[in-house]
């Protein structure tokens, strides 16, 4: 058994596309104070009394629309990435165990760390599936590890990858993904890069997420040799009434259609695995909005998933952070 491990951490998913399972998942997700920064005394009664009863059924229907025979796409892709990453590291001389883990849902960070501790793994690299750092995502993963550590007598040595928004391998892998799509399906009139949104307030409080999204988009555009007018950075998945980062994705694609963009390509560089937010929100809801606004062709470009170039980039990233652990 290797004494070193990598925990590949993604956001999470319900165990099945049913209202009960979705409610359990959303309760864990939305109760995280990193995700919703509202005083608990105000937020939790609203969450359990209003939001979960209203959202569970509708969200379950959305999950059902993208569910596969193997289960949730996000879980499937994260598991494949972990398996292939372990293989890549092994081929490059690193005898490292790689496990997938979910911040919310299963397999949980706690359960996977329990398994590694039982196997007496003494050194663990925490590798979140979030290229851009945010307190709502990366920091929450760190919280999950800390929560486990507080209840553990013998704590392994940890290292954390906080960000890789400007990593050369990550940028090149996404550029190859887009270029491959263009070769196979043709190139649209305009490219939208849609990132997951966050409340504007957290940026004012010092969260670097917006700057890192902008940096990723600029590097990707440069790699693709796109000029400023050929692409647009947007933010999706707004929740609640607070002001979130703008421009919002759906209104932007509608505006592009009204301005005469007939063929639109859209990619989600902040996601490394396809999931509800890409397959349902973008590839279905945003697509319908674009077509109803007068657009003719809407092409969603899939995430990196288990593309070979991405696994190599992920492996090189892990290898750098594993340096010195022999």
């Amino acid at each position: 058994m290797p004494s070193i491990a990598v925990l590949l951490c993604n956001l999470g998913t319900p165990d099945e596309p049913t209202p009960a399972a979705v409610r359990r998942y959303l309760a864990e997700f939305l109760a995280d104070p990193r995700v919703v920064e509202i005083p608990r005394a105000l937020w939790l009664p609203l969450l359990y009394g209003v939001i979960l009863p209203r959202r569970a059924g509708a969200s379950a229907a959305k999950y059902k629309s993208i569910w596969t025979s193997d289960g949730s796409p996000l879980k499937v892709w994260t598991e494949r990435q972990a398996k292939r990453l372990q293989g890549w590291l092994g081929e490059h001389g690193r005898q490292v165990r790689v496990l997938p883990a979910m911040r919310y849902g299963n397999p949980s960070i706690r359960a996977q760390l329990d398994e590694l501790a039982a196997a007496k793994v003494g050194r663990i690299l925490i590798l979140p599936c979030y290229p851009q750092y945010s307190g709502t995502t990366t920091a929450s993963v760190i919280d999950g590890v800390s929560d486990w550590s507080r209840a553990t007598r013998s704590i392994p040595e940890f290292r954390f990858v906080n960000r890789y928004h400007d990593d050369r391998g990550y940028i090149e892998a996404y550029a190859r993904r887009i270029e491959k799509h263009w070769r196979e399906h043709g190139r649209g009139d305009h490219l939208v890069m849609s990132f997951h949104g966050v409340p504007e307030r957290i940026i004012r409080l010092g969260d670097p997420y917006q700057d890192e999204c902008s940096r990723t988009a600029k590097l990707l555009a440069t790699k693709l040799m796109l000029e400023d007018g050929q692409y647009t950075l947007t933010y999706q998945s707004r929740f609640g009434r607070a002001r979130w980062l703008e421009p919002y994705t759906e209104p932007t694609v509608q505006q592009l259609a009204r301005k005469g963009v007939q063929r639109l390509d859209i990619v989600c560089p902040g996601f490394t695995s396809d999931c509800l937010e890409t397959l349902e929100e973008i590839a279905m809801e945003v697509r319908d909005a674009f077509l109803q606004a007068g657009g003719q062709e809407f092409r969603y470009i899939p995430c990196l998933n288990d593309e070979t170039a991405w696994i190599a980039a992920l492996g090189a990233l892990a290898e750098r952070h594993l340096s010195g652990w022999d």
Side-chain angles (χ1 to χ4, degrees), residues 127-174:
L127 178 49
C129 295
Y130 315 123
Q132 297 77 26
Y133 176 94
S134 174
T136 61
T137 52
T138 311
S140 182
V141 166
I142 297 172
D143 289 346
V145 175
S146 298
D147 290 343
W148 177 85
S149 298
R150 276 194 291 270
T152 302
R153 179 70 60 182
S154 180
I155 300 173
E157 185 177 353
F158 286 111
R159 288 181 181 175
F160 296 88
V161 179
N162 278 14
R163 52 175 53 79
Y164 44 95
H165 65 286
D166 57 356
D167 177 75
R168 179 181 298 178
Y170 157 68
I171 296 296
E172 288 183 352
Y174 243 118

Side-chain angles (χ1 to χ4, degrees), residues 1-7 95-99 112-125 148 154-158 325:
M1 173 65 65
S3 62
I4 302 171
V6 176
L7 201 62
Q95 298 306 308
V96 176
R97 187 176 180 187
V98 182
L99 290 182
Q112 299 296 62
L113 289 176
D114 281 343
E115 181 173 334
L116 293 175
K120 301 189 182 304
V121 173
R123 292 170 166 175
I124 304 172
L125 175 66
W148 177 85
S154 180
I155 300 173
E157 185 177 353
F158 286 111
W325 275 1

Side-chain angles (χ1 to χ4, degrees), residues 76-310:
V76 169
W77 288 122
T78 306
E79 288 174 345
R80 290 181 185 176
Q81 288 170 353
K83 184 177 181 179
R84 292 201 63 193
L85 176 58
Q86 180 169 310
W88 190 96
L89 290 169
E91 290 171 1
H92 289 76
R94 285 277 184 184
Q95 298 306 308
V96 176
R97 187 176 180 187
V98 182
L99 290 182
M102 301 297 166
R103 180 61 181 97
Y104 317 105
N106 297 303
S108 68
I109 289 175
R110 180 178 296 276
Q112 299 296 62
L113 289 176
D114 281 343
E115 181 173 334
L116 293 175
K120 301 189 182 304
V121 173
R123 292 170 166 175
I124 304 172
L125 175 66
I126 306 299
L127 178 49
C129 295
Y130 315 123
Q132 297 77 26
Y133 176 94
S134 174
T136 61
T137 52
T138 311
S140 182
V141 166
I142 297 172
D143 289 346
V145 175
S146 298
D147 290 343
W148 177 85
S149 298
R150 276 194 291 270
T152 302
R153 179 70 60 182
S154 180
I155 300 173
E157 185 177 353
F158 286 111
R159 288 181 181 175
F160 296 88
V161 179
N162 278 14
R163 52 175 53 79
Y164 44 95
H165 65 286
D166 57 356
D167 177 75
R168 179 181 298 178
Y170 157 68
I171 296 296
E172 288 183 352
Y174 243 118
R176 286 191 192 182
R177 188 74 188 88
I178 294 167
E179 289 168 340
K180 177 184 177 183
H181 190 273
W182 283 346
R183 287 194 302 270
E184 294 175 352
H185 304 282
R187 182 168 168 173
D189 304 323
H190 196 84
L191 177 67
V192 168
M193 301 185 198
S194 181
F195 293 81
H196 200 291
V198 297
E200 195 177 69
R201 175 179 174 273
I202 75 168
I203 303 301
R204 294 197 303 270
L205 293 174
D207 196 298
Y209 179 72
Q210 185 177 25
D211 288 342
E212 296 191 6
C213 289
S214 297
R215 178 68 173 158
T216 295
K218 184 64 177 178
L219 289 171
L220 194 49
T222 299
K223 190 70 178 177
L224 294 168
M225 295 185 290
L226 296 176
E227 298 178 0
D228 288 346
Q230 294 178 306
Y231 75 96
T232 302
L233 182 158
T234 64
Y235 296 95
Q236 64 183 88
S237 308
R238 179 186 175 195
F239 172 75
R241 297 182 179 179
R243 186 166 184 170
W244 282 39
L245 292 181
E246 297 180 1
Y248 302 139
T249 299
E250 185 170 313
T252 299
V253 304
Q254 291 172 319
Q255 186 178 28
L256 287 169
R258 296 184 186 110
K259 286 184 176 180
V261 172
Q262 295 296 296
R263 298 180 303 161
L264 184 70
D265 295 327
I266 188 164
V267 67
C268 300
F271 298 87
T272 55
S273 299
D274 273 311
C275 56
L276 184 74
E277 287 80 3
T278 65
L279 298 174
E280 196 279 332
E281 182 182 357
I282 296 298
M284 296 181 189
E285 292 183 14
V286 173
R287 174 185 180 274
D288 289 345
F290 176 73
L291 297 178
Q292 290 171 11
Q296 296 300 310
E297 291 183 50
F298 181 96
R299 281 91 64 93
Y300 167 65
I301 301 172
C303 290
L304 294 169
N305 296 326
D306 64 347
E307 289 281 319
T308 298
W310 167 232

Side-chain angles (χ1 to χ4, degrees), residues 18-38:
T18 64
V22 170
R23 180 175 179 134
R24 287 194 302 272
Y25 167 72
L26 290 178
E28 184 181 6
F29 174 40
L30 296 177
D32 186 344
R34 290 281 192 180
V35 174
V36 180
E37 296 184 10
I38 296 175

Side-chain angles (χ1 to χ4, degrees), residues 27 30-33 36 38-52:
L30 296 177
D32 186 344
V36 180
I38 296 175
R40 302 293 90 188
L42 297 175
W43 173 242
L44 293 182
L46 181 63
L47 173 62
Y48 287 98
V50 179
I51 293 173
L52 292 178

